[in-house]
């Protein structure tokens, strides 16, 4: 059995990825920060999809908390030689939009801490076992905002743009250990994060004329986690429905 960790896995795109990976036989660790009820809902869905999983609580933005939680999991499973995180999906992220002259420092730091520090805090611990095992898949959730920049999202664009660059650099470090590192850059996907947007107006700028579904992003993540994607690394794959801009 292969083990996968999905940060921010309790809802939205993270939940869809958890369910998709479970359907393909992965034991999924569903990370959450505070909403245990949502995490348990996701766990129930992964079991329905066919594989046992578990929830794991920690704030990816907190290095000490993240390291302690992941090291405890590894210690608790030390007698199971198969139990190492072979697939890591760095999905946790938040938005706090405002035009830069009006943006509060807290909004800037919160967004970067969750997406960028979270990437470092989680990957730093998880990748050590991947290196020893000489196998792994790291999938970083970027955004179209990190590719083209979006007004009112200087913080989010900065965080996701950095994730894209870090993906390229890390792929060059880890390729020799048979570990691939890729990023996914979603456009407008139907989730809680986009629920307040004017979908009717925004879809006019999308070639396919609609917002994407979380399950469509999950299908791409599952492909990148699979052996079929063993020769893809250092790439950022946009999934935007043909967003014009």
């Amino acid at each position: 059995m292969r083990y996968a960790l999905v940060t921010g896995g309790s809802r939205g795109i993270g939940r869809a990825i958890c369910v998709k990976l479970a359907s393909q036989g992965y034991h999924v660790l569903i990370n959450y920060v505070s909403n245990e009820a949502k995490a348990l809902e996701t766990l129930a869905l992964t079991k329905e999809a066919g594989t046992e999983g578990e929830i794991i609580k920690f704030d990816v933005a907190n290095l000490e908390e993240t390291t302690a939680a992941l090291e405890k999991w590894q210690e608790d499973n030390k007698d199971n030689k198969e139990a190492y995180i072979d697939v890591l999906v760095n999905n946790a992220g938040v938005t706090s939009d405002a035009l830069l002259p009006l943006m509060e420092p807290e909004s800037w730091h919160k967004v970067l801490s969750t997406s960028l520090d979270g990437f470092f805090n989680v990957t730093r611990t998880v990748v050590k076992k991947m290196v020893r095992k000489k196998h792994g898949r790291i999938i970083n959730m970027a955004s179209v905002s990190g590719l083209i920049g979006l007004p009112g999202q200087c913080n989010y664009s900065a965080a996701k743009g950095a994730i894209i660059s870090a993906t390229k650099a890390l792929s060059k470090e880890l390729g020799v250990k048979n570990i691939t590192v890729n990023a996914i850059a979603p456009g407008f996907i139907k989730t809680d994060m986009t629920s307040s947007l004017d979908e009717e107006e925004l879809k006019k700028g999308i070639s396919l004329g609609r917002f994407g579904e979380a399950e469509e992003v999950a299908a791409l993540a599952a492909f990148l986690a699979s052996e079929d994607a063993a020769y893809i690394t250092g790439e950022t794959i946009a999934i935007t429905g043909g967003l014009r801009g």
Side-chain angles (χ1 to χ4, degrees):
M1 178 178 292
R2 295 175 67 186
Y3 289 74
L5 167 63
V6 181
T7 67
S10 63
R11 54 188 178 180
I13 290 174
R15 171 177 286 185
I17 293 172
C18 288
V19 173
K20 184 66 175 179
L21 291 176
S23 74
Q24 298 191 349
Y26 292 87
H27 178 104
V28 183
L29 283 69
I30 303 158
N31 162 251
Y32 72 103
V33 179
S34 57
N35 196 333
E36 183 175 347
K38 288 291 184 183
L40 289 171
E41 286 178 11
T42 303
L43 179 60
L45 291 170
T46 62
K47 290 180 178 179
E48 288 178 12
T51 309
E52 290 289 329
E54 60 191 288
I55 62 174
I56 180 168
K57 180 181 180 180
F58 60 87
D59 180 358
V60 299
N62 185 312
L63 176 59
E64 292 75 18
E65 186 177 320
T66 297
T67 302
L70 292 173
E71 288 182 349
K72 182 179 184 303
W73 183 84
Q74 291 175 346
E75 178 64 21
D76 289 345
N77 290 275
K78 65 182 180 181
D79 294 331
N80 182 352
K81 292 182 179 180
E82 292 184 348
Y84 83 99
I85 296 167
D86 184 47
V87 176
L88 168 61
V89 183
N90 285 306
N91 170 74
V94 296
T95 56
S96 185
D97 296 352
L99 297 175
L100 187 63
L102 304 176
M103 185 177 291
E104 296 296 332
E106 292 79 7
S107 293
W108 175 267
H109 292 297
K110 179 180 180 181
V111 170
L112 266 74
S113 292
T114 303
S115 289
L116 193 53
D117 292 349
F119 157 79
F120 172 79
N121 294 341
V122 178
T123 307
R124 178 175 176 269
T125 298
V126 170
V127 77
K128 293 174 183 177
K129 197 68 174 285
M130 289 184 181
V131 168
R132 289 198 292 272
K133 293 289 188 177
K134 295 184 179 180
H135 192 279
R137 299 281 186 267
I138 299 173
I139 302 161
N140 300 318
M141 200 58 60
S143 168
V144 68
S145 186
L147 289 171
I148 64 174
L150 293 175
Q153 287 198 329
C154 278
N155 50 3
Y156 196 66
S157 293
K160 295 305 187 180
I163 288 293
I164 290 168
S165 295
T167 295
K168 295 177 184 296
L170 187 59
S171 72
K172 291 176 171 62
E173 294 181 13
L174 297 178
V176 70
K177 296 297 184 180
N178 195 33
I179 301 167
T180 65
V181 188
N182 293 289
I184 297 174
F188 295 112
I189 307 297
K190 288 183 179 179
T191 65
D192 293 345
M193 192 176 286
T194 60
S195 61
S196 62
L197 300 178
D198 186 345
E199 183 175 348
E200 288 303 311
E201 182 62 29
L202 288 170
K203 72 183 185 181
K204 295 176 183 177
I206 301 172
S207 297
L208 293 181
R210 64 176 178 87
F211 276 20
E213 301 290 341
E215 289 75 16
E216 292 172 310
V217 181
L220 176 56
F223 169 70
L224 291 173
S226 73
E227 291 306 310
D228 289 336
Y231 201 58
I232 301 172
T233 195
E235 299 298 330
T236 298
I237 303 174
I239 179 165
T240 69
L243 181 67
R244 298 187 288 272

